[in-house]
Amino acid sequence: MNKTDRSMFRRALCIALSALLVVTVAGIPESFAAPSGAIGDTEVPMAALDEAAADTSESANVGGGETYPDDGDYLAGVEEAALAEEERSADIDELGYIPGEIIVVYEESASDAEKQAAIDVVEGEESAAEATFEESVAVPVEISDDVTVETAAEMVKQDPAVRYALPNYTVSTYDEPSAVAQGAAAVKIDDLQARQWYIDYVKAPAAWDAIATRLPTAASAKVAVIDTGASLSHPDLANVVNRRQSAEVVHGEEKDLSSWTTKPLRGDGYVNGSAGVEEYASHGTHVSGIIAAEAGNGGTLGVASGGSTVDANNLIDLVVIDAFSKKTRDPRTGAWVANGTVYDVVYSLEYARDIGCKVVNMSLGFDVYDEELARYFEELCSELTDNDDMLIVAAAGNSGVNQKSIPASCDSVIGVISLTHRAHVSSGRNSISSATWMTGDITRSSFSNYGDWCDLSAPGESIYSTLLLNGSTDTYGYMDGTSMACPVVAAVASMVRVAAPELSAREVRDVLCKTAADLTEVRGKDDQSGWGAVDAEAALKKVLSPAAGDTTSKGDGTEPSESQAPSVQPAPPVKQPDQQAQKQPTVKPAPQAPERPATTSQGWVTVGGKWRYVGNDGAYATGWIKVKGTWYYLHGNGDMATGWLKLGKTWYYLKGSGAMATGWLKLGKTWYYLKGSGAMATGWYQVGRTWYYSNGSGAMQANRWIGNYYVKSSGAMATSQWIGRYHVNASGKWDKTR
């Protein structure tokens, strides 16, 4: 920029810095106190910038015709510029973020002009293609040389078109530098499974058998591994990785937006499209093998491989996304290791969503914990979970303390703690000697982060899996870390999605937590192990239809009580809009000719391909029954109901397993909400602290006004924000127009 432009920018910068200083020292003045996104032009302190830049009447003329604001403001601008120059010359590893660049997350409704106006205040230029989500749009922005990253983020986030502005933090893998390799030659029919203690510990073989015997046909679940890549030549991965969709995130010249793209995955250890392997990464190779290493070909096998059953190597559609576009020096070993950024991860999540991934493994975390970053990822991951049915699993981190990690600490993400077995302690580790609790031979790994923000535990020490040695040799070896525990949980989650595709991501999460094995004296969730150790057998048996011959106690035969539903406050007063009548769910008339069972043994039986339940009186049960805590409905002839069911004026939904659905249900492109009683919700209703609205057919409404209230793309009622020209208050009601 020329001298005049730089002068005007510095003056604007000085005014902005002064405004930020006032906010910090004196508290937020009234003009700053409007809710986010609710500030009109006359109320925005930053709106004075253009006027200030144009008004030179109070400027001093300094040689060469260059103008500056008063001395105090000028010195503040010079100091900021000096700090910015120092920041740009600093080591990225020490900063923990990329200098000269911020991540801007715009409101989804922001126009191109509003976006540009928001970043003009820091002379910003978008440096990549936008990552677009239903609620927001994220993009990295190159900032002026005269402003630090922190100041730029504070300035930009004041604009009502901006949801978040934050540094482009770096991200790292969560493995410990202890890989011990073994040659891949001379192994047959998965002889190395004996070294995979975690396979039997999480009861994966029993889960494979349950799927094979109880699921007539199994459609694979698409699983994304966002990591450093994976070796495509490894004998246990070559036939497993989806090469057509696996990708490497690359970006070329700065400010060349089209250079940000995904290219076909080449392997593990490539850096940002480089011609050769620049850092000897094997993290993604190891993680991928834990999930889905090929069964039956010699070597190891994955937790979700299917073992030797008829479903072997057909349960998982594995997509590997190399999100680590940079490299850095590991301070512990001095070796080059993979490194990525906020935008690498966001871009990868967008790609995983676009290709329909239902489980995402993220054995990674950001190098800092920042509240703004946490809020953004909380929002982003919730959207992907609820709107795109994506179950995200992330590693808790390896600092060995109760310290939150992003994204593992997000409410909608399954955060995973690492476990250690007494017989499988890695050399040099003190997991057993330093343990504060033991359950049999199991305890939390000494390196693992923990806390009430974590959800599940899984083996993560002495984990034997696929390796790529020195960037060129396919082999096997041990690695430690929550990075290794994370894919164990992701693999089990994937098998649940195969067995019960009608379950939402949140319902799958609920199944995993409720079937986990308690590890400590605290019943239920605790800060040392979350809900406990993931249990593949228990999870799969919970969601699969009961096998013939299974016996259980007869339910009480009563209809579930409406009192089980969450308490709902009176709905906001609203005039119901005129809308075209929508077709109600349909259900076939139930046959009404009861028969006597051929057996008097209590439990589930199949008759003509239909499930029935024999009660303790020897007759087929009818109506509502509760078996092992789950409600089923049996027609008059005893056949188990599935799909939509209307009883009186109330609709219910029975899953493919016959289990009554509760909570959120997505059928096709439509969301429904089933109360705790199973009854389909219509009109206004509250889930947690959030209001939603479903029409008479039960379809959740989105992106529309309901009377004086607005429901967003997620279906949630908007509060305290602007919707275009209209503002809604804290109760969600429209209260003003701009």
Side-chain angles (χ1 to χ4, degrees):
M1 93 183 104
N2 60 40
K3 289 186 176 181
T4 301
D5 290 339
R6 185 175 295 275
S7 169
M8 294 173 68
F9 173 73
R10 282 183 173 172
R11 185 170 185 192
L13 174 61
C14 293
I15 295 172
L17 290 172
S18 299
L20 291 174
L21 183 61
V22 168
V23 173
T24 304
V25 176
I28 301 177
E30 185 175 348
S31 60
F32 278 77
S36 175
I39 304 175
D41 288 345
T42 59
E43 298 172 288
V44 183
M46 303 304 295
L49 291 176
D50 290 339
E51 297 174 9
D55 179 11
T56 58
S57 61
E58 297 180 6
S59 299
N61 193 324
V62 181
E66 190 170 3
T67 56
Y68 292 99
D70 294 337
D71 289 346
D73 288 341
Y74 172 65
L75 291 176
V78 170
E79 182 179 359
E80 176 70 15
L83 291 172
E85 183 179 2
E86 180 181 349
E87 180 180 63
R88 286 173 180 266
S89 63
D91 191 308
I92 293 176
D93 299 337
E94 295 178 2
L95 292 174
Y97 58 86
I98 308 301
E101 183 175 81
I102 61 174
I103 298 296
V104 178
V105 183
Y106 300 108
E107 295 286 351
E108 187 276 334
S109 59
S111 67
D112 290 342
E114 289 172 327
K115 293 175 185 176
Q116 188 59 52
I119 62 177
D120 276 348
V121 70
V122 292
E123 292 192 327
E125 291 188 49
E126 294 186 358
S127 57
E130 294 178 342
T132 304
F133 301 91
E134 288 192 28
E135 298 271 342
S136 61
V137 176
V139 67
V141 171
E142 296 284 343
I143 60 176
S144 166
D145 293 343
D146 290 335
V147 64
T148 62
V149 164
E150 180 181 8
T151 298
E154 287 297 327
M155 293 170 69
V156 171
K157 74 173 62 172
Q158 304 300 323
D159 195 285
V162 175
R163 293 174 79 92
Y164 303 98
L166 56 147
N168 194 6
Y169 291 111
T170 53
V171 64
S172 299
T173 57
Y174 281 150
D175 61 309
E176 295 290 288
S178 61
V180 180
Q182 174 185 324
V187 289
K188 300 178 181 178
I189 312 303
D190 306 324
D191 341 14
L192 298 181
Q193 181 183 347
R195 304 185 183 193
Q196 296 178 272
W197 70 273
Y198 56 96
I199 296 283
D200 288 328
Y201 179 76
V202 300
K203 304 176 185 176
W208 304 333
D209 290 340
I211 293 174
T213 57
R214 299 187 181 193
L215 197 64
T217 56
S220 62
K222 186 170 290 188
V223 181
V225 173
I226 298 179
D227 215 289
T228 64
S231 171
L232 298 178
S233 58
H234 198 290
D236 263 347
L237 295 176
N239 298 322
V240 172
V241 175
N242 179 336
R243 296 176 185 240
R244 183 175 64 85
Q245 292 185 319
S246 292
E248 179 182 350
V249 177
V250 297
H251 49 95
E253 295 299 321
E254 293 181 0
K255 302 176 185 177
D256 177 7
L257 306 193
S258 63
S259 70
W260 268 87
T261 187
T262 51
K263 293 185 177 180
L265 183 71
R266 294 176 292 165
D268 199 343
Y270 291 90
V271 178
N272 194 25
S274 58
V277 175
E278 293 188 24
E279 42 89 6
Y280 297 143
S282 190
H283 189 273
T285 298
H286 201 267
V287 166
S288 298
I290 293 170
I291 295 175
E294 186 173 351
N297 68 326
T300 60
L301 70 170
V303 172
S305 66
S308 59
T309 69
V310 295
D311 298 310
N313 307 314
N314 291 320
L315 300 179
I316 300 299
D317 180 8
L318 190 68
V319 176
V320 180
I321 305 171
D322 182 356
F324 285 73
S325 65
K326 300 182 183 298
K327 63 178 181 178
T328 187
R329 291 284 187 184
D330 188 327
R332 300 165 296 185
T333 65
W336 285 112
V337 293
N339 189 249
T341 68
V342 170
Y343 196 67
D344 288 318
V345 174
V346 171
Y347 195 86
S348 299
L349 285 169
E350 180 194 37
Y351 178 74
R353 178 204 62 189
D354 290 347
I355 62 174
C357 294
K358 293 303 179 185
V359 176
V360 174
N361 185 90
M362 298 176 72
S363 293
L364 53 83
F366 292 100
D367 297 328
V368 300
Y369 186 88
D370 175 82
E371 291 294 342
E372 185 90 346
L373 179 68
R375 285 192 294 272
Y376 171 51
F377 265 81
E378 185 72 62
E379 181 180 284
L380 176 60
C381 293
S382 292
E383 176 185 314
L384 292 171
T385 300
D386 294 329
N387 296 0
D388 300 295
D389 197 28
M390 182 186 288
L391 181 65
I392 303 173
V393 187
N398 296 347
S399 300
V401 295
N402 186 345
Q403 177 178 300
K404 289 184 177 181
S405 169
I406 304 169
S409 59
C410 296
D411 288 342
S412 56
V413 174
I414 297 179
V416 183
I417 294 171
S418 172
L419 297 176
T420 293
H421 190 285
R422 186 189 302 274
H424 301 282
V425 181
S426 294
S427 176
R429 302 277 181 223
N430 63 344
S431 294
I432 300 300
S433 61
S434 65
T436 58
W437 59 272
M438 291 284 297
T439 299
D441 292 321
I442 292 291
T443 188
R444 175 177 58 80
S445 303
S446 59
F447 54 75
S448 179
N449 285 9
Y450 59 93
D452 59 8
W453 50 275
C454 298
D455 302 289
L456 288 169
S457 301
E461 187 165 342
S462 287
I463 302 302
Y464 199 75
S465 182
T466 46
L467 277 181
L468 181 64
L469 189 63
N470 295 327
S472 59
T473 304
D474 292 311
T475 182
Y476 300 90
Y478 294 98
M479 291 182 74
D480 303 339
T482 54
S483 273
M484 284 62 250
C486 182
V488 174
V489 173
V492 177
S494 303
M495 290 193 287
V496 173
R497 304 227 74 168
V498 169
E502 74 280 2
L503 294 184
S504 69
R506 288 196 184 275
E507 288 174 319
V508 173
R509 171 199 177 100
D510 190 51
V511 167
L512 295 177
C513 292
K514 287 184 176 179
T515 57
D518 263 324
L519 291 178
T520 69
E521 295 179 352
V522 179
R523 185 169 180 78
K525 191 176 185 182
D526 60 75
D527 66 354
Q528 292 291 311
S529 66
W531 288 98
V534 68
D535 187 326
E537 179 184 22
L540 268 296
K541 287 186 174 180
K542 182 173 179 63
V543 300
L544 286 167
S545 297
D550 280 2
T551 59
T552 183
S553 59
K554 184 177 186 296
D556 55 23
T558 60
E559 183 173 350
S561 168
E562 185 66 29
S563 63
Q564 293 173 283
S567 60
V568 177
Q569 300 300 318
V574 59
K575 180 181 178 181
Q576 299 299 324
D578 294 331
Q579 37 184 327
Q580 183 179 357
Q582 298 194 30
K583 186 178 179 181
Q584 293 280 359
T586 57
V587 61
K588 296 179 180 179
Q592 297 295 320
E595 309 168 21
R596 290 294 298 179
T599 176
T600 58
S601 176
Q602 181 186 358
W604 292 101
V605 296
T606 54
V607 178
K610 302 288 187 179
W611 285 103
R612 298 185 181 183
Y613 188 83
V614 180
N616 56 12
D617 58 358
Y620 290 132
T622 60
W624 288 107
I625 64 168
K626 192 175 185 180
V627 181
K628 294 184 178 179
T630 300
W631 287 100
Y632 300 83
Y633 186 83
L634 306 173
H635 292 302
N637 69 339
D639 286 353
M640 182 183 74
T642 59
W644 286 108
L645 173 72
K646 188 176 185 181
L647 298 176
K649 296 182 178 181
T650 304
W651 285 96
Y652 299 86
Y653 188 84
L654 292 310
K655 304 174 187 177
S657 66
M660 183 189 74
T662 59
W664 289 108
L665 172 71
K666 189 177 185 181
L667 297 176
K669 295 183 178 181
T670 303
W671 283 98
Y672 301 85
Y673 186 77
L674 294 310
K675 301 176 184 177
S677 66
M680 182 184 74
T682 60
W684 286 105
Y685 52 94
Q686 198 173 20
V687 181
R689 298 181 179 180
T690 304
W691 285 97
Y692 297 85
Y693 184 87
S694 292
N695 64 17
S697 71
M700 184 198 77
Q701 302 298 286
N703 290 322
R704 57 166 296 188
W705 287 94
I706 308 293
N708 292 330
Y709 300 82
Y710 187 83
V711 286
K712 300 184 287 187
S713 58
S714 65
M717 183 182 72
T719 60
S720 301
Q721 67 184 84
W722 287 96
I723 311 297
R725 296 177 55 239
Y726 306 98
H727 185 263
V728 291
N729 61 22
S731 67
K733 188 175 182 179
W734 165 65
D735 61 353
K736 58 184 174 181
T737 303
R738 63 181 175 186

